[in-house]
Amino acid sequence: MGTAPGIFPVVGHGITLVRRPLDFLKSLSAHGDLVEIRLGPRRAWLACHPELVHRILMDSRTFDKGGPQYERLRPLMGNGLVTCGHEGHRRQRRLIQPTFRPSRIADYATVMGEEAESTCRAWRSGTKVDVSAAMLALTTRVTSRVLLSDSLDAATVAEVRNCLAALVQGLFIRTVVPLGPLFRIPTPANRRYRRAFDRLHAIIDSVVDERRRGTPRDDLLGSLLEAEADRGGASGVTGREIHDQLITLLLTGVESTAMCLGSVFSLLPAHPEVERRVHAEADAVLTDGLRPGLRELPGLVHTRSVVMETLRVYPPGWLFTRTTTRETELAGLRLPGGATVLYSPYLLHHDPGSFADPDRFLPERWLPGQTAAAPNGAMLPFAAGSRKCIGDTFAMAEATLAVAAIARRWRLRPLPGHVEQPRPAATLGPRALEMICEPRRRVPAAGVSRDPNTTVAQAE
């Protein structure tokens, strides 16, 4: 492994990261395994090799959460599970972990299936659907039910969804162009960000206050309020921490899965054989009008592989920063304490040294038995180490069940002459994906003898 000298213009790479971020990231491996870049006036080092990235992720004491990304996230998310430093992370993770233990996924899978079916039940044949908005609405409803039960009515859920969309758009530019005074100017974009920021925090405060006065419930908020009430316990939960954890998990739980689902439906029409397999599997597994749930998950093998390959091609979490807590060596270079270090799952996932035909959408990489899909640990949609995403199993179940529920009823076609490209912001995915609904008719498979009540999807 080797390092490269800094490759930066005087004004830094922030503008390039805004204008053509994905091409820029893919170009960096040619300059070495650890490349120095500039984010505004700040020097930073981007790790381009999976071994370096794993070293960063496995040593969270040295490479702590920090850098411009987390400097912008902390005012929004506070000191929650995602943004807290190494010293407070273990206690916070233990507090949240019971909500995401495998035994709870069964309950959540029912919620996921209900909301996925509700999302597509209202669609009509031949109509145009804003898929990006629909997926964001779906994941907002699922996440809010898991965290807050039914504390949010439909209008407030929609308001939360809109706030999250505005905040994610604004966070990215604040990360790659970390010049604070620019974002205090009262431009329309800055005002939108501020309004969304204030409103989301007000909604969460209102929910917490109402629940303190009400009946305890078996959800994350209920667990946090119980821990707060146990003031003599080891958790030491405060009202501020409850607020921060809810904001954190709403933001991370809603946006990333919505972006993944939007990317799935943008990719399927361009890969008809893959789409056919997804439709056939939905028909075979979700028989007799079954609502998809935990029992159906093991049978959705192809659907899960499509979700995994989508996470490889368009990882919602595509660029992250860390800060060194002390002077350290990385790829033969001495980095000072306080240095900004970046890694990009998008860059790793598109490296031909790790994935054959990295720019092709090939879900079969992830079918059972394909153990060489990521031989060097280059597949990192949920990070690794002690800071690995706490909701990775939850997110995979939610996305898989949602794709299956929609694929059973509908084929989504792109608008004629329109191609929606993924848009990098704080997350990566299509943000204005509109598609046409086509109902899926089912007809008997020619030449196959079987029960007359069993049907398969019409050839497409």
Side-chain angles (χ1 to χ4, degrees), residues 392-406:
D392 55 346
T393 302
F394 179 99
M396 284 299 301
E398 182 181 10
T400 302
L401 292 172
V403 171
I406 293 169

Side-chain angles (χ1 to χ4, degrees), residues 63 92 176 193 197 203 206 229 280 309 352 371 419 422 445:
F63 300 94
Q92 292 202 26
V176 300
Y193 184 87
F197 182 104
I203 289 171
S206 175
E309 181 69 348
T371 55
V419 177

Side-chain angles (χ1 to χ4, degrees), residues 81 93 96-97 100 249 387-394:
L81 184 66
R93 193 172 180 101
I96 303 299
Q97 189 72 61
F100 295 97
L249 294 171
R387 305 302 294 255
K388 185 179 181 183
C389 174
I390 197 170
D392 55 346
T393 302
F394 179 99

Side-chain angles (χ1 to χ4, degrees), residues 50 57 171 195 244 453:
L57 295 177
L171 281 170
R195 282 196 301 269
D244 291 349
N453 294 319

Side-chain angles (χ1 to χ4, degrees), residues 172-183:
F172 173 54
I173 192 167
R174 285 164 170 76
T175 297
V176 300
V177 186
L179 300 174
L182 289 178
F183 305 111

